[in-house]
Amino acid sequence: MQSHYPVVIAGGGTAGLTVAAQLVDTLDPSRIAIVEPSTHHFYQPLWTLVGGGVFPKEESRRDQADYIPTGVAWIKEYVSAFEPDQNRLILKNGDILTYEYLVVALGIQIDWDRVKGLRAALAERNGVCSNYSYETVDRTWENIRSFKGGVALFTQPSTPVKCGGAPQKIAYLADDYFRRSGVRNNTTIKFFSGMGSIFSVKKYADSLMSVCRRKGIETYFQHELVEINHRQKEAVFKNLTNGEHVTVRYDMIHVTPPMSSPDVIKQSTLAAPTGWVEVDQFSLQHTRYPNVFALGDCSSLPTSKTGAAIRKQAPVVVQNLLAAMEGRPLDAVYDGYTSCPLVTGYGSLILAEFDYKLTPKESFPFDQSKERYSMYALKAYGLPAMYWNGMLRGRL
Ligand code: FAD
């Protein structure tokens, strides 16, 4: 079957729904289609606090149908190929969808199989967990809650990930919980990262390194998790500076898996050599296909991949898309703004906000590199409400 819509949005996650909600203010909704296979929408930033036992995972999940703007067509399928030279998408069921304008918002792909043994380890209840999927996030809390002491490992890959700060946040919550449950004295916490430092912005990195020192968390940079032997409870890391492998025994391990652009994008001409959708970093228009825009985790934008970044990207896509449709110049500009609420314990948080130049762009009239309860309350209670009632409704 073949159908046509003037505007097609591929992916109805944070970015796709936010763009749709804003577009319907101007465009007749019957001119827009969203291609999204999932029955549910997830507020993924909550998964850090779900892993830390603050919320049940169900709190992060809502029906997708309730967030597709009224009148917009929801095509409940996967995109299986992009054919931008023919202005069309091929869907998994073989249908063809043609468009005049396309917004690509497919998110990031979790490459579970790039860590040998990880999938098998996650299939069993044996101290291995990950906040990076709805299916595995509650396992994190099970592990932290039942931990009786020993070695607790937390990992971050060298690839871009969604929310660059999330891999360390869960280590801080675990440390806090282990102190409350009385096992911290017989526990060693190690944070292994494939990155060169704890955070990309020096102001926040300095604060975070002092948090690690205060909490007694050992940090190892340029170390990439490559294998888990869950029967022996051993994790194998590759030292990225000399290529050597280091084996570390654990009693629990929280894994942030490697991530990359979705394969369907990598295999298309929309992709930059890095695999991400190749867009101009200021206008968010594709560099080779002027009727294509992209935003969010699947885009080539050189900033940290977060929902907060999408809040600033979406109005730029919407304004520039409408301008392109009307033949006007594309005036809206995105400056790389992104934000990372770095939870440092139950009731404390450093709110990092910065732009392409890694210059802090803080919203509040105080030093956000200091740990504060007010910022923790914002993350736990304020931002979820703003997300569901504001951002996804086109109001922020
Ligand atoms: P997504 O929201 O992931 O949406 C992509 C959509 O595309 C999905 O609905 C998917 O079903 C769909 N899709 C995929 N493949 C196809 C296909 N082939 N065809 C059609 N549709 C497809 N951000 C913050 O701002 N602050 C935080 O504190 C924060 N913490 C986080 C903590 C964790 C543990 C995690 C996992 C994420 C966190 N994030 C945070 C990041 C944030 O959730 C993401 O950056 C954001 O959701 C990305 O939005 P997106 O629309 O690009 O991708």
Side-chain angles (χ1 to χ4, degrees):
M1 214 175 73
Q2 179 154 344
S3 45
H4 177 86
Y5 289 87
V7 178
V8 168
I9 301 173
T14 303
L17 287 184
T18 305
V19 166
Q22 294 182 15
L23 267 182
V24 295
D25 279 345
T26 309
L27 282 188
D28 180 342
S30 66
R31 301 178 69 197
I32 305 169
I34 298 179
V35 187
E36 167 59 57
S38 176
T39 307
H40 294 109
H41 181 90
F42 301 96
Y43 178 58
Q44 301 168 50
L46 206 69
W47 290 351
T48 296
L49 296 177
V50 172
V54 181
F55 295 107
K57 70 176 178 179
E58 291 75 16
E59 192 84 12
S60 70
R61 189 176 79 167
R62 301 263 173 105
D63 286 343
Q64 183 79 23
D66 293 341
Y67 291 88
I68 304 275
T70 309
V72 168
W74 176 16
I75 298 170
K76 201 166 179 294
E77 249 308 346
Y78 286 88
V79 175
S80 63
F82 288 97
E83 296 186 345
D85 291 304
Q86 283 88 44
N87 293 327
R88 65 182 202 173
L89 312 176
I90 312 296
L91 305 182
K92 195 175 164 198
N93 62 6
D95 285 357
I96 292 173
L97 191 57
T98 58
Y99 57 80
E100 283 141 48
Y101 291 89
L102 173 68
V103 177
V104 188
L106 288 197
I108 203 166
Q109 174 172 292
I110 310 270
D111 294 327
W112 300 102
D113 293 321
R114 276 172 63 186
V115 176
K116 194 173 164 198
L118 175 58
R119 228 183 249 280
L122 283 168
E124 291 182 26
R125 286 188 143 61
N126 54 9
V128 184
C129 55
S130 177
N131 282 353
Y132 281 84
S133 78
Y134 188 74
E135 290 68 39
T136 56
V137 62
D138 42 357
R139 192 80 63 74
T140 305
W141 176 231
E142 271 173 45
N143 278 302
I144 292 174
R145 191 181 47 185
S146 60
F147 195 68
K148 297 284 180 276
V151 178
L153 302 186
F154 295 84
T155 75
Q156 172 162 6
S158 63
T159 67
V161 295
K162 38 183 155 191
C163 195
Q168 60 189 283
K169 298 178 202 176
I170 191 63
Y172 302 143
L173 285 176
D175 165 81
D176 195 346
Y177 188 80
F178 296 160
R179 285 171 200 276
R180 290 163 199 243
S181 66
V183 300
R184 185 63 180 95
N185 283 342
N186 57 335
T187 297
T188 305
I189 301 181
K190 301 179 188 222
F191 177 64
F192 279 88
S193 172
M195 310 299 287
S197 65
I198 195 102
F199 203 72
S200 55
V201 181
K202 185 172 182 313
K203 173 176 178 172
Y204 306 116
D206 290 347
S207 298
L208 292 164
M209 283 312 293
S210 50
V211 169
C212 288
R213 279 192 294 275
R214 186 186 76 228
K215 287 175 172 289
I217 295 176
E218 298 173 19
T219 53
Y220 301 84
F221 297 108
Q222 303 276 20
H223 278 72
E224 177 108 71
L225 177 69
V226 291
E227 185 174 350
I228 292 192
N229 299 314
H230 66 274
R231 301 212 191 285
Q232 290 82 42
K233 294 205 158 187
E234 286 175 351
V236 183
F237 294 89
K238 182 176 179 188
N239 180 333
L240 300 178
T241 54
N242 59 16
E244 280 175 13
H245 285 72
V246 188
T247 299
V248 184
R249 211 199 55 76
Y250 63 79
D251 295 285
M252 76 155 272
I253 179 168
H254 175 272
V255 179
T256 302
M259 302 180 203
S260 66
S261 179
D263 288 342
V264 64
I265 293 175
K266 286 188 203 119
Q267 289 152 7
S268 83
T269 53
L270 292 175
T274 51
W276 309 107
V277 182
E278 186 168 36
V279 287
D280 177 84
Q281 70 180 74
F282 302 112
S283 71
L284 313 193
Q285 183 184 40
H286 199 278
T287 51
R288 286 167 284 115
Y289 298 100
N291 62 337
V292 178
F293 292 79
L295 76 167
D297 293 357
C298 70
S299 71
S300 63
L301 299 172
T303 193
S304 175
K305 297 179 184 297
T306 65
I310 291 167
R311 191 164 72 81
K312 298 288 187 182
Q313 293 163 11
V316 174
V317 165
V318 169
Q319 284 177 50
N320 285 340
L321 173 60
L322 293 171
M325 291 175 87
E326 293 164 12
R328 291 184 283 111
L330 276 51
D331 290 336
V333 171
Y334 171 60
D335 65 1
Y337 172 90
T338 190
S339 165
C340 187
L342 292 140
V343 177
T344 56
Y346 296 98
S348 60
L349 186 143
I350 290 170
L351 183 61
E353 292 183 285
F354 51 99
D355 62 13
Y356 279 139
K357 294 183 189 140
L358 302 182
T359 306
K361 289 202 74 178
E362 301 188 343
S363 303
F364 296 96
F366 46 70
D367 180 359
Q368 291 180 201
S369 68
K370 295 212 161 32
E371 297 169 81
R372 289 174 197 274
Y373 175 75
S374 57
M375 296 295 95
Y376 176 86
L378 176 74
K379 169 162 177 77
Y381 311 109
L383 294 177
M386 282 166 66
Y387 184 77
W388 295 115
N389 306 324
M391 189 165 156
L392 293 193
R393 301 294 187 200
R395 293 193 198 110
L396 279 173

